[in-house]
Amino acid sequence: MTATDSKYDAIIVGSGIGGLAAAARLAQRDVSLLVLEASSDFGGYMLNPDALDRYVFPDYEFEFCKGKDRCADRLIRDFPGDSKGILRFFDLAARVFQASAPAALATGGLGSWMQYFARHPLMLKYGRQDYESFLAGTIRDPRLRSVLAAPLFDVAVGPRQVSAATALSVWGYYLNGAYYPRGGSRGIRDAFVTSLAANGVELIHS
């Protein structure tokens, strides 16, 4: 069959978030589509229940899973020389996240904030220290420091421009599961597949 014989205007190979998003955009423009997926189901990485995010570096890949202990264990396995620093990091992330919860924050004037910092002195200490210098004093391996800086895309700054308290609270947020829609990332996949099928897109897996 030649390209001119095909009943499709476009064929998308791979049904991860990129493939499904491209298919949805093309379907909105009434492009006749076929989506092909080699594995047994659509969705690619969105179906991985054990990773909220994946950080890919030239020589290392890390899957960010929910849960402080599980996440710490993965990093200790890969960076055993930094095991003490990793445990300290995760302990601080949990404490900073708890201290930065809306119910814990001060709601009044200066006196209220003075009481807050008296209860949570670590917020004053790490609120005044940039994240880059905090990592340099806690973690020896530069690859691991890169991994620990990766979630900063949430605040759109680098480790030199953000406080350690802010970065640690972002980590605490992720370790508690972050925010995903009902049904998790699989729910996103389901919405894409349902919409594409309703718009006449042919989807074939396996």
Side-chain angles (χ1 to χ4, degrees), residues 68 87-106 113 116-117 119-131 134 138 152 155 162-176:
K68 181 181 77 168
L87 291 174
R88 178 172 179 258
F89 177 90
F90 279 90
D91 176 64
L92 281 172
R95 291 166 57 201
V96 167
F97 181 70
Q98 187 176 17
S100 60
L105 293 174
W113 280 102
Y116 170 79
F117 285 120
R119 291 193 307 270
H120 305 287
L122 78 167
M123 296 301 282
L124 190 59
K125 177 180 179 179
Y126 296 113
R128 298 172 65 183
Q129 182 180 19
D130 69 86
Y131 190 47
F134 165 77
T138 307
L152 290 182
V155 290
V162 70
S163 72
T166 298
L168 287 165
S169 68
V170 169
W171 263 89
Y173 169 71
Y174 268 89
L175 292 170
N176 279 272

Side-chain angles (χ1 to χ4, degrees), residues 60-62 73-80 143:
Y60 181 67
E61 182 176 314
F62 180 67
D73 287 346
R74 287 186 180 186
L75 289 175
I76 290 171
R77 177 198 66 201
D78 294 345
F79 301 96
R143 290 184 306 160

Side-chain angles (χ1 to χ4, degrees), residues 132-204:
E132 183 176 69
S133 62
F134 165 77
L135 287 178
T138 307
I139 301 297
R140 290 180 295 180
D141 193 304
R143 290 184 306 160
L144 178 54
R145 291 199 295 267
S146 296
V147 172
L148 298 179
L152 290 182
F153 68 83
D154 266 5
V155 290
V157 292
R160 192 177 299 170
Q161 289 80 37
V162 70
S163 72
T166 298
L168 287 165
S169 68
V170 169
W171 263 89
Y173 169 71
Y174 268 89
L175 292 170
N176 279 272
Y179 172 79
Y180 277 78
R182 187 175 300 165
S185 54
R186 181 182 289 269
I188 300 174
R189 187 288 305 264
D190 293 346
F192 267 121
V193 170
T194 300
S195 175
L196 291 170
N199 281 281
V201 175
E202 187 168 357
L203 298 111
I204 299 174

Side-chain angles (χ1 to χ4, degrees), residues 11-63:
I11 298 173
I12 293 177
V13 179
S15 69
I17 187 67
L20 292 178
R25 188 63 180 266
L26 290 171
Q28 289 174 340
R29 299 182 179 186
D30 297 320
V31 174
S32 174
L33 282 174
L34 169 64
V35 175
L36 297 174
E37 171 58 50
S39 66
S40 60
D41 205 351
F42 303 109
Y45 207 75
M46 288 188 288
L47 300 183
N48 186 342
D50 201 33
L52 303 176
D53 259 334
R54 179 175 57 166
Y55 304 144
V56 180
F57 301 92
D59 57 351
Y60 181 67
E61 182 176 314
F62 180 67
E63 292 185 344

